Amino acid sequence: MSVPTKVLVVGTGFAGLGMAVRLKQAGIEDFVVLERAGEVGGTWRDNTYPGATCDVPSHLYSFSFAPNPGWSRSFSPQAEIQAYLERVAGDFGVRPHVRFHHEMHSAAWDEARRRWRVETTGGEFEAAVLVSGTGALSDPRIPSLPGLDRFEGTVFHSARWRHDHDLGGRRVAVVGTGASAIQFVPRIQPEVGHLTVFQRTPPWILPRWERPFRPAEQWVFRHLPAVQRLARAGIYWGREQMVAGFVVAPGLMRAAERLARRHLERSVPDPRLRARLTPDYRIGCKRILISNDYLPSLTQRNVDLVAAGLAEVRARSVVAADGSEHDVDTIIFGTGFHVTDVPVAERITGRSGVTLRDHWAGGMRAYKGTAVAGFPNLFLLVGPNTGLGHSSQVFMIESQIAYVLDAVRHLGRTGDVLEVRQEAEAAWDAGVQRAMARTVWTTGGCASWYLDDRGRNTTLWPGSTWRFRRRTARFDPEAYQVSPAKAANPGWRTPPILVNSPPT
């Protein structure tokens, strides 16, 4: 027997928790949050690798409605962000709504009942509205390599770190040089016997300007919250200045390139190693990384950098694309996530019996990154083209949450089924891709995980975050087909929730 609910939210990272908090603040108590793990946190619960730290300043990488005056550093470490999310879940009364160890196996639209039928590992649910807050960084990606299944050593992905596996004295291969690898490589380098780092494309790396917050600063943030809001606003508008280089005039990124080159020269004295670490594409085309210790770690005597991807795995060694063979007993993949082919899309079936994955066969797309034609009463948080290359994803998430909450109110007033019009979705996607054509992500001369297998950037938002917030400030019923209910549901009529504008 299925459990009925008005709103079913999937995931308890920033997106799912934020949606749950806003529902409660709006007076909607009839909702359930599904979580496949045993604790809230999403990405920040799962990524416990050594050195895991946010690359967005702490005061901006948090909910506007739940400031944290107790951050220990200007860039928050993983454990503090996880503790923050757990605290938000408790302080705002979300935990009673969460069903832990409930992984969603399938969600199918039932046209006759005008409801979503959702099957999970813990039972079946029925919901009027389905909100997916699983995000893009939830399912690790391990490349398909010949011989990997015959490797006699230990293999794991950085997002599933094996803390029970002692790396002391071992011969370790690290595959990938992205945002995770540059954080854990310096931490494990002093511990391992030998470290071989396989790099397909060198990243641009900028210095990490960070510092601990002094107790006096924390006291001020706690007792004078306006000061923390001012700090948040300063960080926000400082980050927004970067949009011009990413989106409007990529040539403006040359100053950042010069800074990155100087950082590389100071960190790596050996010109031959430095040449292998020098990118040949415009900075910003791939994700810009920040680190003070990654580059120096590669100069240590127990480290080899192989400027080639991994081609084959043997029983006790790995073979690079350049033909070199390296003896290893541990392989750590820092190879990212399924971003443009999110697995949750296989599990959601819309009105016509077509899965979201099949609907996206030509590339992911969604109206305002949130609604998909043919999938009634489905809303995506951190959907297509809502990612960022310059600022806090939490800001975008809060913008989408406000839009979804307004849509839920509209359902209560006028009908029980909302489905975005195909023409509205197509026009939105066309506008996004037109704007994308002039960005550094398209013109910068690289291949990145921002792009799908057709070369379309279906990941990032090509503009400022405040423009996205303006576009999602209110629900726009004219873009939707509304199927009226026999009677409006008074239980869905909720008082307005004030969502912060861009920090001022």
Side-chain angles (χ1 to χ4, degrees):
M1 183 175 179
S2 62
V3 176
T5 186
K6 285 181 180 177
V7 183
L8 192 66
V9 181
V10 184
T12 63
F14 270 99
L17 281 184
M19 188 76 247
V21 169
R22 288 310 201 188
L23 286 169
K24 283 190 73 72
Q25 290 180 330
I28 299 174
E29 293 286 344
D30 187 5
F31 70 91
V32 171
V33 185
L34 302 178
E35 173 51 60
R36 64 185 179 185
E39 184 53 270
V40 302
T43 296
W44 293 104
R45 176 199 59 232
D46 296 340
N47 284 266
T48 60
Y49 59 81
T53 307
C54 190
D55 58 6
V56 175
S58 304
H59 291 310
L60 188 58
Y61 198 79
S62 52
F63 290 119
S64 64
F65 55 80
N68 176 24
W71 295 121
S72 68
R73 306 187 64 81
S74 53
F75 289 90
S76 311
Q78 173 269 333
E80 286 191 29
I81 298 175
Q82 175 61 18
Y84 168 78
L85 290 172
E86 292 177 13
R87 190 163 60 251
V88 167
D91 290 349
F92 288 88
V94 169
R95 283 189 178 277
H97 296 267
V98 181
R99 302 296 178 266
F100 292 109
H101 303 295
H102 278 60
E103 182 173 6
M104 185 179 77
H105 281 330
S106 66
W109 176 253
D110 186 330
E111 182 64 25
R113 294 180 58 81
R114 299 158 77 102
R115 294 291 186 271
W116 284 96
R117 300 186 68 86
V118 179
E119 294 183 359
T120 79
T121 52
E124 186 173 302
F125 294 80
E126 182 178 302
V129 176
L130 179 64
V131 181
S132 174
T134 57
L137 306 181
S138 56
D139 293 282
R141 184 181 64 85
I142 293 181
S144 178
L145 292 168
L148 183 59
D149 58 337
R150 295 190 297 274
F151 183 63
E152 295 179 357
T154 300
V155 179
F156 57 90
H157 191 281
S158 61
R160 302 292 183 266
W161 195 268
R162 287 282 303 276
H163 292 281
D164 62 333
H165 180 62
D166 184 6
L167 294 176
R170 295 188 181 275
R171 297 168 300 172
V172 179
V174 170
V175 185
T177 55
S180 299
I182 73 158
Q183 292 186 342
F184 70 74
V185 163
R187 296 298 184 94
I188 68 173
Q189 174 270 316
E191 178 183 356
V192 304
H194 191 272
L195 183 63
T196 307
V197 179
F198 292 86
Q199 168 196 275
R200 287 195 305 175
T201 307
W204 284 106
I205 302 174
L206 292 173
R208 188 182 191 93
W209 289 295
E210 72 167 337
R211 64 178 183 84
F213 287 123
R214 296 184 295 273
E217 292 176 288
Q218 294 173 326
W219 186 94
V220 169
F221 294 147
R222 182 171 291 106
H223 294 90
L224 300 173
V227 175
Q228 188 175 16
R229 288 196 298 270
L230 184 62
R232 177 184 174 96
I235 296 168
Y236 173 81
W237 288 112
R239 291 267 167 162
E240 285 299 282
Q241 303 310 306
M242 300 167 63
V243 172
F246 282 106
V247 175
V248 180
L252 295 174
M253 303 297 288
R254 292 192 183 94
E257 282 187 15
R258 289 194 294 269
L259 178 60
R261 289 183 188 277
R262 286 198 298 271
H263 182 51
L264 176 59
E265 291 169 1
R266 288 194 298 266
S267 303
V268 182
D270 182 355
R272 291 175 298 178
L273 177 58
R274 195 163 61 237
R276 285 181 283 158
L277 290 167
T278 302
D280 61 358
Y281 55 89
R282 177 62 49 81
I283 191 170
C285 183
K286 296 170 72 74
R287 183 175 177 178
I288 299 175
L289 307 181
I290 56 174
S291 175
N292 295 330
D293 52 9
Y294 172 71
L295 293 172
S297 74
L298 300 180
T299 68
Q300 303 305 306
R301 296 181 64 180
N302 68 331
V303 179
D304 285 329
L305 176 73
V306 179
L310 207 57
E312 180 187 352
V313 179
R314 296 175 181 171
R316 299 180 181 179
S317 65
V318 293
V319 180
D322 62 6
S324 60
E325 185 174 2
H326 306 264
D327 293 335
V328 299
D329 55 50
T330 303
I331 303 174
I332 304 174
F333 286 98
T335 45
F337 301 84
H338 290 278
V339 176
T340 60
D341 58 341
V342 288
V344 72
E346 303 176 25
R347 307 179 185 188
I348 300 176
T349 303
R351 186 193 294 277
S352 59
V354 175
T355 66
L356 190 55
R357 180 179 183 176
D358 290 338
H359 180 76
W360 282 344
M364 296 195 307
R365 61 192 183 278
Y367 180 65
K368 299 189 176 181
T370 308
V372 183
F375 293 79
N377 288 9
L378 171 68
F379 299 101
L380 310 176
L381 302 177
V382 200
N385 293 114
T386 60
L388 296 175
H390 71 285
S391 191
S392 172
Q393 191 64 46
V394 182
F395 187 91
M396 298 289 279
I397 288 171
E398 288 199 58
S399 300
Q400 286 189 282
I401 288 172
Y403 184 82
V404 173
L405 190 59
D406 206 18
V408 169
R409 291 196 191 95
H410 190 88
L411 282 169
R413 291 192 300 268
T414 63
D416 62 0
V417 177
L418 290 171
E419 181 183 342
V420 70
R421 298 179 185 276
Q422 177 65 48
E423 57 270 26
E425 180 190 273
W428 175 267
D429 183 62
V432 167
Q433 294 305 319
R434 279 196 305 272
M436 197 69 72
R438 64 175 185 266
T439 66
V440 70
W441 310 306
T442 301
T443 65
C446 75
S448 73
W449 57 264
Y450 299 148
L451 310 180
D452 63 17
D453 55 7
R454 290 170 175 77
R456 295 175 77 247
N457 190 326
T458 59
T459 306
L460 300 181
W461 168 246
S464 62
T465 62
W466 62 266
R467 287 188 184 277
F468 184 81
R469 176 151 291 188
R470 283 176 54 190
R471 301 294 295 273
T472 54
R474 67 170 187 87
F475 178 68
D476 45 350
E478 63 275 9
Y480 290 76
Q481 296 173 348
V482 181
S483 301
K486 293 179 180 179
N489 188 338
W492 287 47
R493 292 177 180 172
T494 62
I497 293 293
L498 298 179
V499 176
N500 287 6
S501 299
T504 56

